[in-house]
Amino acid sequence: MNKNAQTTVDTSLQQSRRDAMTERNELNTVDEAPLEGDSETRRSADSSERAYNTIRKLLVEFKLKPEERINEVQLAKTFGVSRTPIREALNRLASEGFVSLTPNRGFFVRSLSTEGLLDLYELRSIIECAAFRLMCERAEDDQIERLRVYWEAIVDGYRDQPADIILAEDEGFHLLIAELSGNPELVNQLAAINARIRFIRRIQIEHRTHDKDQVASHSAIVDAAVRRNIEGGVELLRQHIELTVSATQQALKDALLKVFSPNEPSERRQRGRPRNA
């Protein structure tokens, strides 16, 4: 890989890895040194942001179990803050779909369900297809070239990378298309969806039935972008992202095996099991 290609890849991957790196750093910081205590009457924007990033990481990695009630008091004690920044963080996470708020009961971790996962993939498809269309209409030739250089730099070893690298490179590829659309809100929305499905996607990549022929579809998408073949590229993206019900059910079953320890009581494992899985 030449120096210019490597620079382009590093720049494009930066955004896709930003969330994961931020979440990891926030959690490590909490482990090393708890936040300074706040009073109930003194709200700290820094504390709220820090709580948000740390709880978000716990949710993304399912360290908090599906359908589990979130103990605000315990979180506040663990992080060394008042309940105010915790509540602010949870309200923000609820607005993003990571948790749900039940009146008079509190916040709960989102459940794992076939329908919910299919809804997210459907939304991802809508956003990415719109981004591809706008990219072809708005981007300059040298900007489209960034997508081609990015993919050419990683394609040869793409199949043989560890799951985390494959996932980061794939997210980088799709986020670059969104970036080249010229609409930063598409980038923000896609990044948020990626965070919510990252755990499932990693499991799918690890699964023995993972379709490693997706390399060919990435190459075809790049070719369509270079030729500014909007309709062809949109259809390729739709097929590339589409997730079947059977694949979703298998991914959720694999996820539940990872989320719930075999030593946990069977009734707790059953509580988190999606009805259709």
Side-chain angles (χ1 to χ4, degrees):
M1 184 186 304
N2 62 47
K3 185 176 181 180
N4 290 336
Q6 182 63 58
T7 300
T8 300
V9 171
D10 291 343
T11 300
S12 300
L13 278 173
Q14 184 177 5
Q15 184 157 16
S16 65
R17 290 172 173 166
R18 181 181 57 194
D19 287 344
M21 291 175 65
T22 299
E23 291 160 358
R24 185 183 306 116
N25 290 338
E26 292 292 345
L27 184 59
N28 290 341
T29 301
V30 169
D31 290 340
E32 294 168 2
L35 296 171
E36 295 180 3
D38 290 333
S39 69
E40 287 290 342
T41 58
R42 181 183 176 184
R43 295 185 178 183
S44 168
D46 289 341
S47 294
S48 179
E49 183 70 17
R50 200 171 181 184
Y52 166 82
N53 287 324
T54 306
I55 298 171
R56 186 173 182 270
K57 175 178 171 61
L58 296 175
L59 292 165
V60 166
E61 296 185 350
F62 285 93
K63 298 296 179 59
L64 298 174
K65 309 302 184 186
E67 301 186 13
E68 178 179 321
R69 186 178 183 276
I70 298 175
N71 190 325
E72 298 176 45
V73 174
Q74 184 59 49
L75 285 177
K77 182 178 179 181
T78 300
F79 298 164
V81 298
S82 71
R83 289 181 62 184
T84 300
I86 298 298
R87 175 59 67 94
E88 291 174 347
L90 289 173
N91 277 319
R92 183 175 169 187
L93 289 163
S95 72
E96 296 173 353
F98 284 93
V99 301
S100 60
L101 175 60
T102 302
N104 302 318
R105 295 190 63 198
F107 293 93
F108 289 80
V109 181
R110 71 184 187 272
S111 63
L112 284 174
S113 69
T114 302
E115 295 89 346
L117 190 57
L118 287 173
D119 288 344
L120 286 173
Y121 270 82
E122 184 176 65
L123 180 57
R124 179 189 170 201
S125 178
I126 291 170
I127 290 173
E128 293 208 32
C129 288
F132 184 90
R133 183 179 298 276
L134 291 174
M135 176 185 68
C136 289
E137 294 173 350
R138 297 174 174 177
E140 302 291 339
D141 289 345
D142 61 333
Q143 293 178 306
I144 298 290
E145 179 68 3
R146 285 180 57 197
L147 182 66
R148 189 194 67 78
V149 170
Y150 175 93
W151 180 241
E152 288 298 320
I154 64 175
V155 62
D156 288 342
Y158 184 78
R159 290 185 179 91
D160 303 320
Q161 299 287 347
D164 285 333
I165 299 300
I166 292 176
L167 182 55
E169 290 179 343
D170 183 79
E171 287 186 0
F173 177 85
H174 292 276
L175 281 168
L176 182 53
I177 292 175
E179 178 189 336
L180 295 176
S181 74
N183 186 330
E185 286 303 319
L186 290 178
V187 179
N188 294 337
Q189 292 301 316
L190 180 57
I193 293 172
N194 284 342
R196 293 180 64 184
I197 64 176
R198 186 173 294 133
F199 182 76
I200 295 294
R201 291 201 64 215
R202 191 185 188 285
I203 290 173
Q204 289 177 302
I205 290 172
E206 289 179 329
H207 199 275
R208 64 183 183 276
T209 61
H210 175 63
D211 181 13
K212 295 191 176 182
D213 290 335
Q214 285 193 340
V215 172
S217 65
H218 280 100
S219 297
I221 290 167
V222 171
D223 181 65
V226 170
R227 293 186 293 108
R228 298 184 188 266
N229 178 2
I230 295 177
E231 298 307 323
V234 165
E235 180 60 22
L236 285 167
L237 264 173
R238 187 190 63 77
Q239 294 177 3
H240 178 71
I241 297 169
E242 187 176 65
L243 191 66
T244 65
V245 173
S246 61
T248 306
Q249 291 173 338
Q250 183 59 60
L252 289 175
K253 288 178 181 178
D254 291 345
L256 287 167
L257 290 175
K258 284 182 173 289
V259 170
F260 293 102
S261 166
N263 295 324
E264 289 187 282
S266 59
E267 60 269 18
R268 184 177 183 187
R269 294 200 304 271
Q270 182 64 33
R271 183 182 64 178
R273 187 174 299 278
R275 291 189 298 271
N276 296 327

